[in-house]
Amino acid sequence: MGGNSKDIKGFVSRNSIWLILIILILAVGVIQPKFLSVGNMVTLISGEAVRGIMAFGVMFAILSKGIDLTIGSTAALVAVITASFAQEADYANRYFEGGKPLPAILVILIGLAIGVVIGAIYGAIIAYTKIPAFIATLGGQLICRAGAKMYSDSPISKLTESYRFLGHAKIGPVPVIIIVFFLMFAISAFLLTQTRFGKNVFAIGGNDQAARVAGINVERTTVLVYVWCSFCAALGAILLTGKTGSATPASTGLNYELDAIAAATVGGTSHTGGICRASGVLAGILILGVINNGLVMLKVDDNMTNIVKGLIIVGSVILDMRKNAKRV
Amino acid sequence: MQQEYVLEMIDIVKEFPGVKALQGVTLKVRPGKVHALMGENGAGKSTLMKCLLGIYQANSGKIIYDGKEVHFKNTQEALNAGISMIHQELSPVPERNVSENLWLGRVPVKGFKVDHKKMRQDSLDLFKRLNLDVNPDAKMGSLTVAKMQMVEIAKAVSYDSKVIVMDEPTSSLTETEVEHLFKIIEDLTARNVAVIYISHKMEEIFRIADDVTVFRDGCHVATEEAKNLDIDKLITLMVGREMTDMFPKVDCPIGDVVLKVENLSAGTAVRNVSFELHRGEILGMAGLVGAGRTETAEAIFGMRHITGGKIYKDGKELHIKSPEQAIKNGIALLTEDRRGSGIIGLLSIIDNTVIADLKKYGFPLNHKKMRADTEKYVEALNTKTPSVDTPIKNLSGGNQQKVLVGRWLLTAPDVLIVDEPTRGIDVGAKAEIHSLLSKLAGEGKAIIMISSEMPEVMGMSDRIVIMHEGLMTGILDRNEFDSELILKFATSDEKYVKEAQ
Ligand SMILES: Nc1ncnc2c1ncn2[C@@H]1O[C@H](COP(=O)(O)OP(=O)(O)OP(=O)(O)O)[C@@H](O)[C@H]1O
Ligand SMILES: [Mg+2]
C-alpha cells in the first residue's frame, strides 16, 4: 500500500480525462457563460446521446482488439425499417399505403432484433473465418447502407408520437433520451466489470491465445461483442429517428461509427486490446460533446472545430500510450 | 593493458511504483569469463540487466563499461557499444522468416532496397559458424520454442558484442541444445567476450560459471568465484536459509484409473500414444524437444485436433474439442509457453487467477470472493507481488508462473497436466511447487508432469512415459528409473521392452 499522496496521484492519473473535461467546460464557460446553463447542458447531452450509446457498444469491439465500422449503416437500415412501421395512419405518403402503424413497443423490438441479427452475422464471420474485423465490418457498412437505400429511396417521416417517445419525449424537464443514455452507460459499465462476459472480453483483447487455454469460448464471446455493438447501433437508430421524426436512407447515421470510435478512443480504450473503462468512455463522449456544442456557441467555424477534434483524438491517444508505457 | 573488469555496475537503484526492485546493487564482470547472476524469482536480476541495456533507466548508480562511464538511453545504443542480450521472454515476429527476425532493425540494404540475398547468406554463415541447423527461410512461428531460442541466441552473438547477457537462455532447451549453447559460450569466452549468465539451474552454473553473484530481494548478497562454492552454499546464499529437499516426493496410495489414453494420434506430432493415469499418481513425461509431449497434452486438452484414438475419463469416453470442454471435464493444463498462452499481461493478478473459473463467482461477479481466493493462492504459493491488483506483466517470470499455477488449482481439476512447471522458477519456489504437486497427488489428484529436466522427472514421478518423435518408446516404473535408460529411449525409435521379472 502506498502513502496517501500516492493514492491521490494514482487517482488523478487514472481520471485525468475527467480533469481535461472539466478544464474544457470551464474554458468554454468563461468565454461564453451561456454554455454553462442547465438548458444548454441538456441540449449537449441529448445531442451526444446517440453517438454515445454507439460508443458504449463499439468500446467492447475495440477492447477485444476488433473494430466495428457498420454502426452508422446498421443504424440507417434499422431506422428506415422501424420508421416504415411507425408512420401515422393518416399520412398521405406512407411507405405502406393504407394500413395502420404497428404498436411502438413492437416496432422497437423489431428494430433491436434486426440489430442483434446483423451483429450476429458479421460477428460470426469475424469469429469463425478469422478475417480482420476491419474488413468484415467495412463490407457490412456498404451492404447495410445499400440495404437501407434499397428499402426506401426517399425519407420516411411523420412517425407516431408513441414510437418517438424514447427519442423525443420528456419526463418532467428531463428528455427521455438522456435517461436512456445514462441507463446504457450503467448497463455497459456493469457488463464490462461485473459479468463473465466483460472479463472474457478483457482476456481476449489482452491475449486471445491465453484466453482460449483458460477455457474461454473465444468465438462465442466475439459474436456476442458484435451483437452488443449492433444492438447499441439499433437502439441509436430508434432514438435518432424518434428525435428527428424521420429516417433518411442516405444520411441517417452517416459517419456515426467514426464519432463513436473517436469517443471510445478519447475515453482511453486501447486499440491494441485489453484496456477500457466505461467511465473514461463517458468522459470521452462528453469531451467531444463540449467541442461540438461549445465551439458552435463560440461561433468557431466547422473546419476549425474538426481540426480541434482531430487534435484531441490524436493527442489523447499519445497521452494514453505514454501513460501505459510508463506502467510497463 | 587490459582492465580487470570490462563492466562495472555500481550501486544501482531502480524503483517501480510500489516496488524497490534494486536497492543499490553492484556487479563487476571480468572479460572472457562467465559471470553467473543468481537469485530467487523477483530478486531483480532481469531488472538489473534491463538497466544495463537501457531498457529501464536506473534511478541512481553508475555503469562503467570498457573503462568509461556510460549511460545507454535505449537498446540501440547498448548494442552499438557492444552489449547484447538474450531476453528471458522471447519476442519473435512469428509471421516473418528466420533471417528477417535475425536481422530485425539492421537489415542489410543496397541503395534503398533491402538486400535479401545478403541477409540470407549472412544468416547461413552465422548458423554455420554456430553449427546450428535452422532454415533461414522458415517462418519464425513454425519453429519450436527451442529452435526459436537458438535463433535468439544466434542473434545476440551476431552483434559481435563484448558483453552478452543471457537471461535464462536454457529454460526452453533440452540437454542437447544446452550442450550446444555451452559450446557457443566456450567459443565466446575464448574470444574474450564476457557472458552474464542468469539461470536457476544449479548444474549449469557449476559447469560454466567462473564467477557467481547472488542477489536477494534487490540487494547484493555475495560475489564469489564458482570454484569456492558448492550447491548447498549457493542455495543458502540465495534463499537465506538451508534447503532440505528438492524433490519432496511422498509415496501416496495409487488409486483407480482416472484417465485412459488409447492409441491417441494427432497428425504426425503424436502417434499411437497409450497410457493410463491413476488417482494419486504423478506420471512424468520425458523426451527431447519435438518428442510430442506438449502435443500430447494439447490433444488431451482440446487444443489440438485428434486424428485417432480414444480418451476415457473415469471409464467414460470423452470427446473434447476445446479447452472449455476439457476444463468442464476436470482437466487442467499449465502450458509451457507462459507468455504466449499463459498470462494476460495487462490484466491484474486477480483477473489472471480467476479467469479460468469465472462461473464460480456468479452474477454479478463477486469481486470480494475473487480477491480473497487470489490472496489465498498468492500466499499459499508465496508469490512476490506488491498487490493483487498489479498487472501480471510487472511480476518477475517465476512469479508469473506461480500465478498461473494458482489459476489452475482454483479450477480444482481431477487431472492436472503441467508442461515444464518449474521453468524459470528459483530453487526455493521449485521445491515449493514440487511439494505442492506431491500434496495434490496425496489428495487424490492425478498429475501428468512434462519436464525436460532429468532430475525433476526422476525425482517426482511415480512412472515415466518416454517419447521420441511422436511415438511412445517406453514407460518405466519408479524402481526402473535410470537416466541412461531414459535417454536411450528418448533418442531412438527402439521400444522399451520390460525384462522378464
Ligand atoms: N515493469 C515493472 N513494474 C513494476 N515492478 C516491476 C517491473 N519489472 C519488475 N518489477 C518488479 O521488480 C522485482 C524484480 O523483478 P525481476 O524481473 O528483475 O526479477 P528476476 O530476478 O529476474 O526474477 P526471475 O528469476 O523470476 O526472472 C520484482 O518484484 C518485480 O515484481
Ligand atoms: Mg528474470
Side-chain angles (χ1 to χ4, degrees):
Chain A
M1 291 287 119
N4 222 353
S5 72
K6 238 186 203 152
D7 287 351
I8 292 170
K9 233 169 116 189
F11 181 79
V12 171
S13 125
R14 258 179 287 124
N15 296 289
S16 53
I17 182 149
W18 285 96
L19 211 68
I20 294 173
L21 176 64
I22 292 168
I23 293 171
L24 264 177
I25 291 176
L26 292 180
V28 179
V30 165
I31 310 175
Q32 176 55 277
K34 258 192 266 164
F35 172 78
L36 294 174
S37 71
V38 174
N40 187 52
M41 284 298 149
V42 168
T43 314
L44 187 155
I45 298 176
S46 331
E48 295 306 317
V50 171
R51 283 183 287 251
I53 287 170
M54 291 170 174
F56 293 139
V58 79
M59 74 184 185
F60 281 82
I62 299 175
L63 173 62
S64 75
K65 258 196 191 153
I67 192 82
D68 187 352
L69 300 176
T70 55
I71 295 172
S73 10
T74 301
L77 186 59
V78 171
V80 287
I81 295 176
T82 51
S84 71
F85 288 123
Q87 280 178 302
E88 297 280 14
D90 55 1
Y91 183 47
N93 264 333
R94 275 180 64 91
Y95 183 83
F96 298 112
E97 281 163 46
K100 276 191 303 213
L102 296 180
I105 184 85
L106 184 62
V107 178
I108 290 172
L109 287 179
I110 290 174
L112 296 178
I114 295 172
V116 165
V117 170
I118 293 175
I121 292 172
Y122 63 80
I125 292 174
I126 294 165
Y128 293 100
T129 68
K130 314 266 181 247
I131 64 171
F134 186 91
I135 304 298
T137 60
L138 186 62
Q141 183 186 62
L142 296 172
I143 294 169
C144 288
R145 178 66 66 184
K149 288 185 187 166
M150 280 157 71
Y151 188 80
S152 163
D153 45 19
S154 56
I156 300 174
S157 48
K158 204 82 196 312
L159 309 178
T160 60
E161 270 317 304
S162 56
Y163 170 78
R164 295 185 64 186
F165 177 77
L166 291 181
H168 190 58
K170 283 186 174 183
I171 296 181
V174 188
V176 176
I177 196 169
I178 292 190
I179 300 174
V180 177
F181 171 67
F182 282 107
L183 205 64
M184 285 303 282
F185 164 65
I187 293 174
S188 1
F190 181 85
L191 272 182
L192 205 54
T193 60
Q194 306 295 322
T195 67
R196 274 166 63 200
F197 169 66
K199 291 278 176 201
N200 290 349
V201 180
F202 270 105
I204 291 171
N207 182 348
D208 60 337
Q209 190 58 27
R212 189 184 307 279
V213 173
I216 293 170
N217 189 325
V218 176
E219 286 76 27
R220 191 174 58 211
T221 309
T222 306
V223 173
L224 286 177
V225 164
Y226 290 95
V227 164
W228 170 250
C229 225
S230 200
F231 173 86
C232 291
L235 180 60
I238 290 159
L239 295 174
L240 196 58
T241 41
K243 197 166 166 225
T244 57
S246 72
T248 314
S251 67
T252 294
L254 193 64
N255 290 342
Y256 271 43
E257 61 277 344
L258 298 183
D259 288 321
I261 293 167
T265 307
V266 170
T269 312
S270 157
H271 286 254
T272 45
I275 304 177
C276 179
R277 286 182 359 132
S279 63
V281 174
L282 177 62
I285 293 162
L286 296 178
I287 286 179
L288 293 181
V290 170
I291 295 169
N292 286 335
N293 171 295
L295 297 195
V296 169
M297 285 191 96
L298 298 184
K299 304 214 167 42
V300 178
D301 78 66
D302 234 25
N303 291 335
M304 208 53 214
T305 309
N306 279 334
I307 289 177
V308 172
K309 252 203 254 180
L311 289 176
I312 290 216
I313 293 168
V314 176
S316 69
V317 175
I318 293 176
L319 277 183
D320 261 347
M321 302 259 290
R322 303 194 69 176
K323 206 162 68 189
N324 293 332
K326 247 186 239 153
R327 268 191 265 138
V328 165
Chain B
M1 224 240 52
Q2 195 168 17
Q3 281 128 351
E4 188 181 0
Y5 298 112
V6 58
L7 173 75
E8 294 173 71
M9 301 184 76
I10 299 163
D11 268 336
I12 305 289
V13 174
K14 175 68 191 170
E15 284 181 47
F16 294 111
V19 205
K20 212 162 176 186
L22 297 172
Q23 332 197 1
V25 298
T26 294
L27 178 71
K28 296 184 176 176
V29 182
R30 297 189 285 166
K33 301 281 179 202
V34 177
H35 196 123
L37 196 50
M38 307 283 293
E40 291 179 282
N41 297 129
K45 307 177 294 290
S46 301
T47 304
L48 182 71
M49 292 303 109
K50 288 180 185 168
C51 288
L52 173 62
L53 268 280
I55 298 168
Y56 295 153
Q57 303 301 321
N59 295 75
S60 69
K62 218 162 53 179
I63 303 176
I64 298 169
Y65 168 64
D66 222 4
K68 286 185 288 291
E69 185 165 349
V70 290
H71 225 88
F72 302 125
K73 283 192 285 300
N74 52 48
T75 323
Q76 210 51 48
E77 288 186 17
L79 287 170
N80 291 343
I83 303 180
S84 62
M85 174 160 173
I86 302 165
H87 286 275
Q88 185 171 8
E89 313 287 354
L90 299 179
S91 45
V93 187
E95 288 304 316
R96 310 304 303 177
N97 68 25
V98 169
S99 61
E100 280 176 85
N101 269 279
L102 209 47
W103 308 106
L104 198 71
R106 48 181 178 139
V107 284
V109 283
K110 226 184 342 202
F112 289 113
K113 242 175 91 255
V114 173
D115 189 346
H116 288 280
K117 216 149 136 211
K118 178 166 186 322
M119 192 155 87
R120 187 163 185 282
Q121 193 53 48
D122 287 352
S123 313
L124 284 173
D125 292 347
L126 179 67
F127 289 153
K128 188 145 164 242
R129 189 175 114 206
L130 301 177
N131 227 340
L132 274 182
D133 173 31
V134 182
N135 175 5
D137 303 323
K139 236 195 207 177
M140 195 69 174
S142 70
L143 302 188
T144 60
V145 184
K147 277 268 159 63
M148 276 193 229
Q149 181 71 48
M150 292 311 280
V151 171
E152 205 69 22
I153 289 167
K155 185 172 170 182
V157 171
S158 72
Y159 285 96
D160 286 320
S161 315
K162 277 190 213 166
V163 176
I164 299 184
V165 179
M166 303 189 178
D167 197 350
E168 301 192 30
T170 57
S171 60
S172 47
L173 302 183
T174 47
E175 313 217 350
T176 17
E177 286 137 329
V178 172
E179 288 307 319
H180 197 149
L181 172 65
F182 287 176
K183 272 258 178 49
I184 295 175
I185 291 179
E186 244 170 58
D187 283 351
L188 288 171
T189 48
R191 290 192 290 125
N192 216 28
V193 175
V195 175
I196 302 177
Y197 191 90
I198 302 178
S199 173
H200 291 293
K201 299 184 184 164
M202 296 292 163
E203 318 84 64
E204 292 180 359
I205 300 306
F206 286 102
R207 273 221 23 217
I208 60 163
D210 300 295
D211 304 320
V212 180
T213 289
V214 179
F215 289 173
R216 196 189 312 143
D217 292 333
C219 297
H220 178 268
V221 175
T223 299
E224 281 281 353
E225 284 196 32
K227 59 176 190 273
N228 301 333
L229 286 172
D230 59 38
I231 290 197
D232 291 334
K233 257 196 225 152
L234 184 52
I235 292 180
T236 312
L237 285 176
M238 280 173 63
V239 293
R241 63 194 141 84
E242 265 180 63
M243 287 272 310
T244 40
D245 193 0
M246 214 39 235
F247 305 108
K249 170 89 186 124
V250 209
D251 278 314
C252 53
I254 306 281
D256 320 328
V257 175
V258 190
L259 192 76
K260 186 168 164 204
V261 173
E262 230 177 52
N263 289 321
L264 184 71
S265 298
T268 52
V270 181
R271 289 175 283 168
N272 288 324
V273 171
S274 305
F275 59 82
E276 288 181 347
L277 179 68
H278 302 80
R279 234 171 265 290
E281 178 181 43
I282 299 181
L283 179 68
M285 278 189 134
L288 304 180
V289 159
R293 297 166 298 164
T294 296
E295 290 78 2
T296 305
E298 288 177 350
I300 296 173
F301 194 63
M303 285 169 72
R304 188 172 276 270
H305 185 64
I306 294 177
T307 52
K310 294 191 168 120
I311 300 170
Y312 299 90
K313 180 155 174 269
D314 298 318
K316 273 209 303 280
E317 189 177 346
L318 298 181
H319 298 278
I320 291 177
K321 298 240 158 24
S322 67
E324 189 188 14
Q325 295 170 1
I327 295 170
K328 266 195 202 123
N329 280 297
I331 302 175
L333 170 64
L334 178 68
T335 57
E336 82 182 312
D337 183 3
R338 182 164 57 225
R339 198 155 84 151
S341 59
I343 65 165
I344 303 163
L346 289 167
L347 302 191
S348 69
I349 300 196
I350 298 186
D351 287 341
N352 270 285
T353 304
V354 300
I355 194 71
D357 203 20
L358 278 176
K359 279 192 197 85
K360 193 163 137 194
Y361 300 97
F363 176 88
L365 292 169
N366 183 344
H367 283 87
K368 229 190 217 151
K369 186 150 181 287
M370 288 181 358
R371 175 174 299 269
D373 285 353
T374 305
E375 275 166 355
K376 192 174 92 194
Y377 280 105
V378 163
E379 199 165 315
L381 301 174
N382 221 337
T383 313
K384 273 201 201 108
T385 169
S387 93
V388 288
D389 298 306
T390 310
I392 194 169
K393 66 171 188 204
N394 287 1
L395 299 196
S396 75
N399 284 307
Q400 292 177 352
Q401 182 79 336
K402 292 189 195 172
V403 174
L404 294 183
V405 171
R407 173 194 292 176
W408 290 118
L409 292 185
L410 191 62
T411 65
D414 305 321
V415 176
L416 175 62
I417 309 174
V418 291
D419 196 352
E420 308 289 357
T422 60
R423 162 175 302 168
I425 288 200
D426 69 55
V427 270
K430 198 165 172 176
E432 278 166 34
I433 286 193
H434 286 158
S435 68
L436 193 81
L437 289 177
S438 267
K439 192 167 134 250
L440 290 170
E443 287 165 8
K445 297 218 184 302
I447 295 169
I448 298 178
M449 185 182 73
I450 301 172
S451 171
S452 299
E453 257 184 79
M454 196 65 89
E456 184 171 79
V457 248
M458 293 193 19
M460 291 302 298
S461 313
D462 293 292
R463 289 184 303 151
I464 298 179
V465 166
I466 305 151
M467 291 184 66
H468 172 72
E469 294 187 349
L471 293 170
M472 193 171 134
T473 48
I475 183 159
L476 301 181
D477 285 330
R478 197 167 172 81
N479 57 18
E480 304 168 296
F481 287 1
D482 171 54
S483 55
E484 268 169 43
L485 199 60
I486 293 175
L487 209 59
K488 186 169 150 212
F489 293 108
T491 47
S492 75
D493 283 329
E494 193 181 336
K495 281 238 188 288
Y496 171 72
V497 188
K498 248 184 213 173
E499 287 150 38
Q501 257 34 68

